[in-house]
């Protein structure tokens, strides 16, 4: 007598197995100090996809990005 399940039973169990989860990357975003970015200026211009944006520092130390 054999103690192994029939071949048809092993096929049924393999079909119900889940696919491995996709691998996701956890790369930290680039971090730049605002003082280094502004270079001592109160305003700088950023060109993005051909459009010019202005990044300004307010007198209260807030940043404002405008198009």
């Amino acid at each position: 007598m054999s103690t192994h399940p029939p071949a048809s039973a092993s096929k049924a169990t393999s079909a119900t197995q889940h696919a491995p989860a996709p691998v996701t990357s956890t790369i930290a975003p680039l971090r730049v100090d605002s003082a280094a970015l502004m270079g001592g200026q109160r305003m700088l211009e950023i060109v993005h996809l051909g459009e010019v944006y202005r990044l300004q520092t307010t007198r209260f130390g807030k940043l404002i990005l405008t198009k």
Side-chain angles (χ1 to χ4, degrees):
M1 278 213 250
S2 173
T3 58
H4 298 290
S8 61
S10 65
K11 287 182 184 177
T13 57
S14 65
T16 60
Q17 291 178 352
H18 297 287
V23 177
T24 56
S25 177
T26 56
I27 299 174
L30 177 65
R31 184 176 289 194
V32 179
D33 184 74
S34 62
L37 183 64
M38 299 300 287
Q41 302 294 312
R42 300 230 15 212
M43 182 179 69
L44 69 88
E45 293 184 343
I46 301 169
V47 179
H48 177 69
L49 299 175
E51 299 286 334
V52 178
Y53 295 81
R54 288 190 177 140
L55 182 63
Q56 301 174 58
T57 305
T58 69
R59 63 178 167 222
F60 300 109
K62 305 289 184 178
L63 293 175
I64 299 174
L65 181 64
T66 56
K67 188 172 180 181

